[in-house]
C-alpha cells in the first residue's frame, strides 16, 4: 500500500512539472458537438514539444468555459474560431497562421489572473482576446499593466479599461460600447422617441453589467428632466420577479427598464405581462434570442424595446449568422457580433504589425485603429480605449420578432 | 388599491411557497428517514427538469407525459445516487458530516454534467406546453403553473400520507424513520425501504423539477433551488411532513414580504436573523419532534 | 517565473482557509457553508480600512481579524448549541446574508463592481510564512488536550460531556479560530489580487474547501495539505480537459469517501509516513 502512495505522489509531482514546463498546445477550434479536443500531449506520456513555430501567431483566449458565465463567453470563442478558419484558409496574416490558446477562467477572479499570467509567460502570446465579464476584466487590468500584453475584450464596465485617474489602462481595450454608453443611449432614446417620463428600474444589483447599464439609464433620464420613480433589485439565479413587479406596477410607471442577462429577460417579460402590465418594457442588448419568440409569448413582448449592437436586418450579416448557426448549432448572441469585432480589432493590429508580432507593436496599433469596419459599425479606437461614438441599433419587437427602428447615440438619432 | 397590492403579494408568496413545498417534501423524505440533508436532491431536480425539456422539445410530448418523464427520471436518478453516494456510508454507520459532504459533492457532480451538455445555450420549456398562462380572479393574477404546482403538492402530499399510513411499505418506512436498525431487526429489508424512500423522493424531485422548470429558465444551476427545500425541512422540524410544507409556504411568504418592504438586497440578512431566532426559540421546528444528534 | 509564484501564492492563501475548515469540519465534524463569507468579511474589512480610510496595513489586518472574531462569536453563540443540521442551515443563511451585505452597501464596498485599487501588499513570502504559522497553530492544537477533545466530541458527544468536556465552549473556540483563519486568508487574497467582489465568497467556495479536507484526510494535517495541493494544482495540470475536471474531482471525492473515508492519506502522521517510504512495514488495514 505504501508503494502505491509513493508512486502516486511521484506521479502527481511529475505531472505538474511536465505540464508546467510544456508550453500548452492550443485548443483545436471548438465545435459544439464534440468535447474539447485534448491535444496529443498527455500527462505522463512523452510530450511533443510544441514550441512556438515561426509560422504561428498565438492569440490568447481568456474565457469562462465551465463556470456560470460560460454561455456568454462561448460566443466569443465561436466568433474567433470562425474568423481564424477564414483567415487561415486564405493563408493567414503575412504568411502566418493563427492559433487560439484558450484558458478557462471559471468565472473566478484568481483563476483569471493565473490563466492570463500563464498564457503570457508560458505560451508567450502577444495579445489576448478577453472575456465579456466585467469583474474579470477589472481584476486582470492591473496585471496586464504589469505583464504588458494587451487584452481586447467585452468587459464593458469602465473600471475595466479606465483607471481611477481617468487615464485608460494601457493594455485594456473594449470592443463594444461601455455600459455607461449603452445605458445613456437607451435613456436618451426612451426620452426622445418613446416619451418616457416616469420609468421604473429593475436590475440585478450583484451584476456589474446590469447595475452599470441601469445606473447610466437613470442618470440620462434625470439629465433630461424625467425620473425613475421606483427601483427594485434582484439577485443571481432569481426566477420569480413577481414581488418586485407587483410593487413596481402598483406605482403606475410608463415604462419598466430591466437590464439583465438572457436568462431572466423572458421571465420578466412574461411575468410583467401576466400581472397585467401594459406599458413599455425596455431592456438591454441581451434580449435576443431569448426575449424573442418562440421563447417568449408574443403577447408578452409586444411592447419591448432595446438597444442592439448590430442591425440584424442587414443582409451581409444574415450570411454570417447562418454560417454560425450551422457550425455551432446555437443562435448567435450579442456577444457573438461584438466578439467578432473585438477579435477583428486584434486581427487589424496584427496585420498592421507585419513581421513585428510583439505586444508593443500590437498595443500601439490598437491605439491607432481608425475607421475599423465591424459588425457593429465603423469606428475608431478612442483615446479612452473604447469605440468612439458607436451608435446602437434601437430595436423593437413586433409579432415576436425583432424589427430595426433607428440608429441612436446619446446626442440623438443618427441619419 | 393598497389592499389589492397586498393581496397580490400574498398570492405571489403562496405561489412561491407552492414550489418550495413540493421541493421541500421530496427533500424531507430523506431528511426524515435517514436523518441527513440530501443536497443531491437538487441534482435530481436538475436532471428531471432537463429530461422533461428534452421530452417536450425533441419528442414533442404534451404536458402530462412530460411530467411523467420527469418523475421517472427523478426516481431513477435518485436510486442511482443512493447506490453510488450513500449506501456504503450508511452501511458503515458513518457520521452525519460524511452524508453532507457526499450529497453536496453529488450535487456538484450532477450540475457539472449538465453544464457539459447544456451549458452552451439557453433552454426553456416550450411555452405551448401550458395553454392558459394565467388565471384572473378579479384584478388578481395567478400563474397557471403555480396552481398546477399547488395541486400537485396537495395531491402528492395526500398520496404520501395515505401511503405512509395505510400501505405496508409506508408503515415500514415510518418505522424506519423512527429507528432504521430496529426495523431491520424486525425482519424488514432495510435496504429495500431505503431504496423505496429514495424512489419516492426522486419522483417528487422529478415532479418539482418539471414544474419549476416550466416557470423558470433552464440553466445547469437550476438544482440550487434545493436549498429552499433544505431551509424548509430544517425549520419544519423532523418527523413531520406537514411542518415542512408549512415552513415552505411561510418561507415563500416571508421572501415576498421582505422584497416588497426592504428590497431584495437586504432580504437575506433579515432571513438569517429570523432563522436564528426561530431555531433558538423553537428547536423542534414548526411541527417536529425533539431530536438529539446521532451519538 | 511570475506564473509559478502567482499560482503557488494563490494556493497558499486558499490552504490557510482550508486549515480552518480542517479544524472545523474535519476534526470537529461541523459542516459550515458559511466559512467563505468570513473570508469575504476579512477581505472587505481590511480593504475598506486601508483604501478608504488610510489605515496602515498591519493595523487593518488585526482589525479585520478582531471584527471576524466578534462576528463569529455572535454567530456561534446563536448557533452552536443546536443540532448539526441547524448549524449547517444557520451558517448557510449567514453566508447569504454576508453576500447580501457586501453587494448592498455599495458606497462602502463597491457593490456589484467590486472593490478595486487595493495595493499589492501580499508577497509570496508573506503568504508562505503565514501558511507555515497557521500550520503550526493547527499542529499544536492537534497535539494538545484541546485537539484530542475534538475527536472525543466527534465520536460521541454525550460520552464526552460526561467526562467533563464543555462542548459548547470547545466548539466556540474552534469556530472562532477557523473563521479567523478564513478572514486572514481573505485579507491576503484581497491584497494580492488587488480586487475583490462578492462572487468569490459564496457557499460553493466553502464546499470546495470541505471537499479538499475530506479528499486529503480529515484527520490528517499532512493529508489535508497534500490533498489541497493536489486538488488546487490539478486545474493547472488538467487545463486541456477543463470541462471534465470538476466531474473528475467529484467522482474522486465520492470514491474516496466511500472506499477510503479517512481520505487519500488516511490518518497518516508525518514521521510515520516518511518512515514508511523507506521501510517495508505492512500498512494496517483501515
Amino acid at each position: 500500500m505504501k508503494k502505491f502512495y509513493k508512486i502516486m505522489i511521484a506521479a502527481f509531482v511529475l505531472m505538474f512539472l511536465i505540464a508546467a514546463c510544456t508550453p500548452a498546445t492550443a485548443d483545436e477550434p471548438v465545435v459544439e458537438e464534440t468535447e474539447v479536443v485534448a491535444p496529443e500531449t498527455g500527462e505522463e506520456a512523452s510530450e511533443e514539444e510544441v514550441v512556438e513555430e515561426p509560422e504561428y501567431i498565438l492569440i490568447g483566449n481568456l474565457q469562462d468555459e465551465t463556470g456560470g458565465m460560460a454561455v456568454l463567453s462561448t460566443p466569443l470563442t465561436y466568433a474567433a474560431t470562425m474568423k481564424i478558419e477564414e483567415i487561415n484558409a486564405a493563408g493567414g496574416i503575412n504568411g502566418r497562421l493563427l492559433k487560439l490558446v484558450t484558458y478557462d477562467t471559471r468565472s473566478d477572479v484568481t483563476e483569471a489572473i493565473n490563466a492570463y499570467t500563464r498564457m503570457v509567460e508560458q505560451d508567450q502570446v502577444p495579445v489576448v482576446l478577453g472575456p465579456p465579464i466585467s469583474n474579470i476584466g477589472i481584476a486582470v487590468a492591473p496585471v496586464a499593466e504589469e505583464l504588458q500584453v494587451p487584452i481586447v475584450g467585452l468587459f464593458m464596465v469602465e473600471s475595466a479599461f479606465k483607471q481611477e485617474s481617468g487615464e485608460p489602462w494601457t493594455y485594456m481595450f473594449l470592443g463594444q460600447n461601455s455600459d455607461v454608453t449603452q445605458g445613456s443611449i437607451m435613456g436618451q432614446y426612451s426620452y426622445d422617441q418613446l416619451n418616457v417620463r416616469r420609468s421604473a428600474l429593475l436590475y440585478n444589483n450583484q451584476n456589474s453589467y446590469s447595475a452599470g447599464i441601469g445606473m447610466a439609464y437613470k442618470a440620462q433620464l434625470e439629465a433630461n428632466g424625467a425620473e425613475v420613480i421606483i427601483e427594485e433589485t434582484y439577485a443571481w439565479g432569481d426566477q420569480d420577479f413577481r414581488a418586485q413587479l407587483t410593487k413596481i406596477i402598483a406605482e403606475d410607471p410608463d415604462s419598466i427598464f430591466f437590464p439583465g442577462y438572457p436568462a431572466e429577460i423572458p421571465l420578466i417579460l412574461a411575468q410583467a405581462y401576466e400581472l397585467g402590465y401594459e406599458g413599455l418594457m425596455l431592456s438591454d442588448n441581451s434580449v435576443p434570442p431569448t426575449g424573442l419568440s418562440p421563447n417568449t409569448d408574443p403577447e408578452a413582448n409586444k411592447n419591448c424595446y432595446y438597444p442592439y449592437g448590430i442591425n440584424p436586418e442587414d443582409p451581409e450579416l444574415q450570411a454570417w449568422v447562418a454560417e454560425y448557426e450551422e457550425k455551432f448549432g446555437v443562435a448567435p448572441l450579442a456577444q457573438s457580433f461584438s466578439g467578432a469585432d473585438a477579435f477583428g480589432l486584434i486581427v487589424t493590429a496584427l496585420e498592421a504589425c507585419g513581421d513585428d508580432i510583439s505586444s508593443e507593436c500590437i498595443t500601439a496599433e490598437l491605439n491607432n485603429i481608425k475607421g475599423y469596419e465591424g459588425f457593429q459599425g465603423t469606428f475608431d479606437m478612442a483615446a479612452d480605449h473604447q469605440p468612439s461614438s458607436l451608435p446602437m441599433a434601437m430595436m423593437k419587437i413586433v409579432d415576436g420578432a425583432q424589427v430595426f427602428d433607428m440608429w441612436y447615440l446619446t446626442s440623438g438619432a443618427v441619419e | 388599491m393598497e389592499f389589492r397590492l397586498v393581496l397580490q403579494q400574498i398570492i405571489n408568496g403562496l405561489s412561491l411557497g407552492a414550489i418550495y413545498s413540493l421541493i421541500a417534501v421530496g427533500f424531507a423524505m430523506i431528511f426524515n428517514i435517514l436523518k441527513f440533508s440530501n443536497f443531491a436532491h437538487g441534482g435530481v431536480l436538475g436532471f428531471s427538469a432537463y429530461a422533461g425539456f428534452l421530452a417536450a422539445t425533441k419528442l414533442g410530448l404534451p404536458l402530462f407525459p412530460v411530467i411523467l418523464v420527469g418523475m421517472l427520471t427523478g426516481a431513477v436518478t435518485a436510486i442511482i445516487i443512493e447506490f453510488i453516494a450513500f449506501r456504503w456510508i450508511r452501511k458503515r454507520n458513518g457520521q452525519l458530516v460524511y452524508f453532507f459532504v457526499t450529497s453536496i459533492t453529488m450535487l456538484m457532480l450532477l450540475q457539472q454534467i449538465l453544464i457539459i451538455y447544456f451549458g452552451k445555450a439557453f433552454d426553456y420549456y416550450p411555452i405551448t406546453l401550458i395553454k392558459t398562462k394565467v388565471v384572473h380572479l378579479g384584478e388578481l393574477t395567478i400563474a397557471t403553473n403555480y396552481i398546477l404546482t399547488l395541486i400537485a403538492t396537495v395531491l402528492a402530499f395526500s398520496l404520501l400520507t395515505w401511503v405512509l399510513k395505510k400501505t405496508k411499505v409506508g408503515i415500514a418506512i415510518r418505522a424506519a424513520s423512527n429507528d432504521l436498525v430496529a426495523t431491520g431487526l424486525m425482519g424488514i429489508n432495510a435496504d429495500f425501504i431505503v431504496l423505496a424512500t429514495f424512489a419516492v423522493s426522486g419522483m417528487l424531485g422529478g415532479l418539482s423539477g418539471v414544474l419549476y422548470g416550466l416557470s423558470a429558465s433552464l440553466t445547469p444551476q437550476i438544482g440550487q433551488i434545493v436549498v429552499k427545500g433544505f431551509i424548509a425541512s430544517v425549520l419544519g422540524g423532523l418527523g413531520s411532513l406537514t411542518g415542512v410544507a408549512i415552513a415552505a409556504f411561510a418561507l415563500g411568504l416571508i421572501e415576498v414580504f421582505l422584497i416588497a418592504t426592504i428590497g431584495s438586497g437586504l432580504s437575506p440578512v433579515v432571513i438569517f436573523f429570523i432563522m436564528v431566532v426561530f431555531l433558538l426559540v423553537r428547536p423542534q421546528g414548526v411541527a417536529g419532534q425533539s431530536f438529539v444528534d446521532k451519538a | 517565473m511570475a506564473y509559478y509564484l502567482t499560482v503557488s501564492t494563490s494556493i497558499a492563501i486558499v490552504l490557510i482557509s482550508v486549515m480552518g475548515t480542517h479544524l472545523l469540519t474535519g476534526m470537529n465534524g461541523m459542516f459550515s457553508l458559511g466559512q467563505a463569507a468570513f473570508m469575504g468579511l476579512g477581505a472587505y474589512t481590511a480593504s475598506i480600512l486601508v483604501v478608504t480610510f488610510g489605515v496602515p496595513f498591519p493595523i487593518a489586518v488585526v482589525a479585520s481579524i478582531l471584527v471576524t472574531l466578534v462576528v463569529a462569536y455572535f454567530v456561534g453563540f446563536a448557533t452552536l448549541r443546536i443540532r448539526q443540521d441547524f448549524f449547517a442551515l444557520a451558517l448557510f443563511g449567514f453566508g447569504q446574508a454576508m453576500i447580501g451585505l457586501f453587494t448592498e452597501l455599495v458606497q462602502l464596498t463597491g457593490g456589484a463592481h467590486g472593490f478595486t485599487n487595493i495595493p499589492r501588499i501580499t508577497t509570496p513570502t508573506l503568504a508562505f510564512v503565514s501558511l507555515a504559522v497557521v500550520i503550526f497553530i493547527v499542529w499544536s492544537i492537534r497535539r494538545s488536550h484541546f485537539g484530542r477533545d475534538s475527536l472525543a466530541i466527534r465520536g460521541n458527544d454525550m460520552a464526552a460531556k460526561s467526562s467533563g468536556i464543555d462542548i459548547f465552549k470547545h466548539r466556540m473556540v474552534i469556530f472562532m479560530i477557523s473563521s479567523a483563519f478564513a478572514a486572514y486568508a481573505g485579507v491576503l487574497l484581497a491584497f494580492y489580487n488587488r480586487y475583490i467582489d462578492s462572487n468569490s465568497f459564496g457557499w460553493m467556495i466553502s464546499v470546495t474547501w470541505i471537499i479538499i479536507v475530506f479528499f486529503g484526510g480529515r484527520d490528517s494535517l499532512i493529508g489535508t495539505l497534500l490533498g489541497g495541493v493536489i486538488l488546487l494544482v490539478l486545474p493547472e495540470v488538467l487545463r486541456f480537459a477543463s470541462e471534465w475536471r470538476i466531474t473528475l474531482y467529484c467522482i474522486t471525492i465520492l470514491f474516496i469517501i466511500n472506499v477510503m473515508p479517512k481520505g487519500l492519506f488516511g490518518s497518516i502522521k508525518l514521521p510515520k509516513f516518511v518512515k514508511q517510504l523507506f521501510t517495508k512495514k505492512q500498512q494496517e488495514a483501515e
Side-chain angles (χ1 to χ4, degrees):
Chain A
M1 212 43 183
K2 62 146 166 82
K3 239 197 187 129
F4 170 60
Y5 285 130
K6 214 190 336 180
I7 294 176
M8 239 187 9
I9 293 172
F12 275 119
V13 172
L14 192 62
M15 228 163 50
F16 182 43
L17 286 176
I18 290 178
C21 295
T22 310
T25 55
D27 287 342
E28 303 300 330
V30 176
V31 181
E32 221 253 347
E33 300 84 75
T34 65
E35 302 153 10
V36 174
V37 176
E40 297 78 69
T41 312
E43 295 159 355
E44 281 112 23
S46 58
E47 72 280 19
E48 317 165 352
E49 279 277 20
V50 182
V51 178
E52 199 181 46
E53 297 147 312
E55 298 97 335
Y56 281 102
I57 303 177
L58 297 179
I59 301 177
N61 189 20
L62 197 65
Q63 303 299 341
D64 177 359
E65 295 186 302
T66 58
M69 303 282 212
V71 66
L72 294 173
S73 283
T74 322
L76 280 96
T77 310
Y78 286 169
T81 307
M82 269 176 75
K83 210 85 200 213
I84 288 181
E85 286 178 359
E86 190 191 315
I87 292 177
N88 282 356
I93 295 182
N94 295 321
R96 291 193 182 88
L97 300 181
L98 302 180
K99 231 184 202 179
L100 212 55
V101 177
T102 309
Y103 284 147
D104 184 8
T105 64
R106 289 188 288 169
S107 285
D108 180 60
V109 161
T110 311
E111 266 306 302
I113 293 178
N114 290 353
Y116 173 70
T117 311
R118 177 168 177 162
M119 58 174 60
V120 164
E121 286 216 333
Q122 305 278 310
D123 301 282
Q124 312 210 321
V125 298
V127 65
V128 173
L129 178 65
I133 305 164
S134 293
N135 292 29
I136 304 279
I138 300 174
V140 171
V143 185
E145 195 75 6
E146 282 171 5
L147 296 182
Q148 302 182 335
V149 170
I151 308 179
V152 183
L154 300 181
F155 25 74
M156 46 160 52
V157 169
E158 296 209 321
S159 31
F161 58 92
K162 274 205 268 213
Q163 304 183 48
E164 193 118 313
S165 57
E167 288 299 304
W169 286 110
T170 322
Y171 298 95
M172 305 293 286
F173 296 89
L174 179 60
Q176 63 174 356
N177 276 325
S178 69
D179 56 352
V180 170
T181 312
Q182 186 178 144
S184 313
I185 292 180
M186 190 58 191
Q188 195 60 44
Y189 174 80
S190 308
Y191 183 83
D192 293 338
Q193 307 291 330
L194 302 173
N195 283 317
V196 164
R197 298 290 181 269
R198 290 165 41 86
S199 194
L201 178 60
L202 176 63
Y203 67 101
N204 179 349
N205 73 333
Q206 295 176 344
N207 176 0
S208 50
Y209 165 79
S210 180
I213 296 180
M215 290 304 129
Y217 169 86
K218 178 177 170 195
Q220 193 72 18
L221 274 189
E222 287 171 352
N224 277 293
E227 54 169 340
V228 168
I229 58 170
I230 177 173
E231 274 177 53
E232 285 297 312
T233 65
Y234 58 91
W236 285 119
D238 276 359
Q239 310 274 14
D240 189 294
F241 308 93
R242 286 164 218 267
Q244 292 93 330
L245 285 170
T246 306
K247 203 168 152 196
I248 285 177
I249 294 172
E251 297 293 319
D252 198 26
D254 56 19
S255 52
I256 303 179
F257 183 53
F258 57 103
Y261 275 149
E264 52 257 16
I265 285 175
L267 298 177
I268 297 178
L269 281 169
Q271 289 168 15
Y273 171 70
E274 288 164 13
L275 286 169
Y277 182 68
E278 311 224 298
L280 294 167
M281 294 295 282
L282 311 173
S283 187
D284 56 17
N285 64 343
S286 292
V287 169
T290 57
L292 308 171
S293 306
N295 278 321
T296 310
D297 188 351
E299 284 301 307
N301 59 13
K302 58 180 189 266
N303 283 323
C304 184
Y305 293 79
Y306 58 94
Y308 206 46
I310 55 145
N311 177 359
E313 292 168 9
D314 185 339
E316 281 175 25
L317 281 176
Q318 315 265 16
W320 191 82
V321 169
E323 195 191 329
Y324 184 102
E325 280 179 354
E326 208 214 306
K327 217 174 151 64
F328 303 114
V330 286
L333 298 176
Q335 285 81 3
S336 313
F337 302 106
S338 39
D341 279 353
F343 190 72
L345 290 172
I346 293 179
V347 167
T348 310
L350 286 173
E351 282 170 350
C353 273
D355 280 331
D356 176 23
I357 305 293
S358 67
S359 301
E360 296 84 24
C361 173
I362 297 176
T363 312
E365 288 305 328
L366 283 171
N367 276 308
N368 281 336
I369 287 188
K370 298 255 179 299
Y372 171 76
E373 287 175 23
F375 286 143
Q376 301 173 96
T378 310
F379 57 91
D380 309 335
M381 181 61 69
D384 61 358
H385 287 205
Q386 58 176 318
S388 61
S389 93
L390 186 60
M392 298 208 76
M394 307 312 292
M395 313 290 297
K396 61 183 175 202
I397 300 184
V398 175
D399 290 332
Q402 47 181 353
V403 170
F404 173 74
D405 195 16
M406 59 180 74
W407 290 102
Y408 229 76
L409 284 171
T410 29
S411 46
V414 176
E415 301 319 314
Chain B
M1 172 63 166
E2 259 305 312
F3 187 60
R4 196 198 90 177
L5 172 64
V6 170
L7 217 50
Q8 179 67 55
Q9 293 287 36
I10 293 181
I11 291 182
N12 294 339
L14 290 176
S15 307
L16 211 51
I19 299 262
Y20 292 167
S21 68
L22 194 55
I23 297 173
V25 165
F27 186 92
M29 284 218 64
I30 308 294
F31 192 62
N32 280 343
I33 312 293
L34 295 164
K35 309 281 189 284
F36 75 93
S37 299
N38 179 20
F39 291 104
H41 192 71
V44 170
L45 204 150
F47 261 54
S48 313
Y50 273 97
F53 162 73
L54 289 174
T57 49
K58 296 280 190 298
L59 301 178
L61 296 176
L63 182 61
F64 285 108
V66 164
I67 291 181
L68 285 175
V69 166
M71 288 176 73
L72 192 60
T73 315
V76 168
T77 315
I79 292 179
I80 296 179
I81 291 176
E82 207 279 314
F83 271 110
I84 300 179
F86 301 125
R87 172 153 288 227
W88 290 343
I89 306 179
R90 181 168 52 84
K91 295 276 190 207
R92 264 200 333 254
N93 244 342
Q95 292 164 23
L96 198 59
V97 73
Y98 284 119
F99 287 102
F100 268 125
V101 177
T102 342
S103 71
I104 226 166
T105 308
M106 206 66 213
L107 172 65
M108 277 181 72
L109 174 63
L110 293 172
Q111 181 175 286
Q112 195 59 27
I113 294 178
L114 287 176
I115 289 180
I116 293 177
Y117 288 105
F118 295 104
K120 300 272 196 299
F122 294 104
D123 293 309
Y124 297 88
Y125 274 80
I127 54 174
T128 47
L129 224 43
I130 298 187
K131 289 289 180 287
T132 22
K133 284 291 137 63
V134 274
V135 167
H136 292 281
L137 296 175
E139 286 190 0
L140 302 171
T141 339
I142 314 176
T144 325
N145 185 40
Y146 288 150
I147 298 183
L148 212 56
T149 311
L150 190 56
I151 297 177
T153 312
V154 169
L155 275 179
F157 203 69
S158 322
L159 198 62
L160 208 56
T161 317
W162 178 80
V163 164
L164 286 177
K165 289 225 159 62
K166 297 278 194 262
T167 66
K168 257 205 211 159
V169 175
I171 297 178
I173 291 181
R174 273 171 51 222
S177 81
N178 264 327
D179 193 330
L180 196 57
V181 176
T183 315
L185 291 174
M186 298 287 250
I188 298 175
N189 186 346
D191 283 347
F192 174 70
I193 297 298
V194 170
L195 265 182
T197 312
F198 267 92
V200 173
S201 160
M203 282 197 289
L204 286 170
L207 181 60
S208 50
V210 172
L211 288 177
Y212 182 57
L214 274 170
S215 64
S217 57
L218 282 179
T219 62
Q221 291 83 11
I222 195 175
Q224 291 186 13
I225 193 79
V226 74
V227 292
K228 308 287 184 192
F230 170 52
I231 297 173
S233 294
V234 175
L235 292 178
L238 208 54
S240 164
L241 288 177
T242 325
V244 169
I246 295 178
F249 276 101
L251 183 63
L253 281 168
I254 292 176
E255 279 186 3
V256 168
F257 174 71
L258 286 176
I259 292 178
T261 42
I262 61 169
S264 150
L266 287 173
S267 298
V269 180
V270 176
I271 289 184
F272 169 63
F273 280 112
I274 294 179
M275 246 193 246
V276 164
V277 167
F278 185 79
L279 288 173
L280 282 174
V281 158
R282 207 181 155 81
Q284 71 270 38
V286 171
Q289 313 135 0
S290 271
F291 171 77
V292 177
D293 262 333
K294 269 210 291 229
Chain C
M1 197 49 206
Y3 169 62
Y4 292 123
L5 271 182
T6 307
V7 172
S8 330
T9 312
S10 322
I11 292 181
I13 294 176
V14 173
L15 283 178
I16 294 177
S17 303
V18 170
M19 283 286 104
T21 307
H22 171 80
L23 273 181
L24 187 68
T25 315
M27 285 173 62
N28 282 277
M30 295 154 72
F31 188 82
S32 163
L33 292 172
Q35 292 312 99
F38 286 114
M39 192 183 203
L41 183 59
Y44 272 105
T45 311
S47 307
I48 293 172
L49 284 176
V50 170
V51 176
T52 316
F53 295 110
V55 171
F57 181 69
I59 302 186
V61 173
V62 172
S64 306
I65 296 186
L66 281 178
V67 166
T68 306
L69 286 173
V70 168
V71 171
Y73 178 74
F74 281 111
V75 173
F77 192 82
T79 61
L80 284 173
R81 291 186 194 277
I82 55 185
R83 274 175 39 207
Q84 283 276 47
D85 294 310
F86 289 179
F87 178 73
L89 177 65
L91 263 298
F92 170 76
F94 170 71
Q96 298 293 95
M98 289 308 295
I99 304 251
L101 273 180
F102 294 151
T103 357
E104 187 72 6
L105 303 177
V106 183
Q107 299 300 340
L108 215 49
T109 63
H113 288 56
F115 199 94
T116 52
N117 286 312
I118 308 175
R120 152 93 41 110
I121 298 184
T122 309
T123 57
T125 322
L126 179 59
F128 288 120
V129 167
S130 305
L131 179 61
V133 169
V134 164
I135 292 177
F136 178 72
I137 296 177
V138 174
W139 182 73
S140 319
I141 292 179
R142 288 170 57 89
R143 291 184 64 211
S144 74
H145 198 234
F146 199 68
R148 280 191 274 279
D149 286 353
S150 302
L151 294 174
I153 297 175
R154 199 179 89 198
N156 187 330
D157 59 354
M158 282 199 283
K161 218 194 276 191
S162 46
S163 52
I165 301 176
D166 183 346
I167 295 189
F168 174 69
K169 194 173 102 174
H170 176 94
R171 284 183 167 159
M172 177 62 93
V173 172
I174 293 284
F175 182 57
M176 287 172 71
I177 294 179
S178 164
S179 309
F181 284 170
Y184 181 61
V187 175
L188 291 180
L189 186 73
F191 287 84
Y192 191 67
N193 284 344
R194 293 174 282 186
Y195 171 79
I196 48 172
D197 68 18
S198 56
N199 294 318
S200 311
F201 306 117
W203 59 277
M204 273 297 186
I205 307 286
S206 307
V207 171
T208 325
W209 298 344
I210 295 178
I211 287 182
I212 291 178
V213 168
F214 277 78
F215 173 78
R218 62 181 299 201
D219 282 323
S220 158
L221 177 56
I222 190 78
T224 301
L225 282 171
L226 279 178
V229 170
I230 291 176
L231 283 184
L232 293 169
V233 161
L234 230 41
E236 297 300 323
V237 167
L238 290 180
R239 272 203 182 273
F240 63 87
S242 196
E243 279 193 323
W244 291 94
R245 181 195 55 233
I246 297 188
T247 316
L248 280 173
Y249 269 26
C250 295
I251 294 179
T252 315
I253 299 296
L254 289 170
F255 179 73
I256 285 181
I257 290 203
N258 280 306
V259 173
M260 290 188 254
K262 287 203 174 289
L264 200 58
F265 300 100
S267 32
I268 296 174
K269 301 190 178 23
L270 182 55
K272 207 163 121 189
F273 179 64
V274 170
K275 244 200 292 181
Q276 282 182 337
L277 281 181
F278 292 95
T279 65
K280 287 219 183 269
K281 245 206 297 203
Q282 271 296 340
Q283 177 123 24
E284 295 161 54
E286 269 141 355

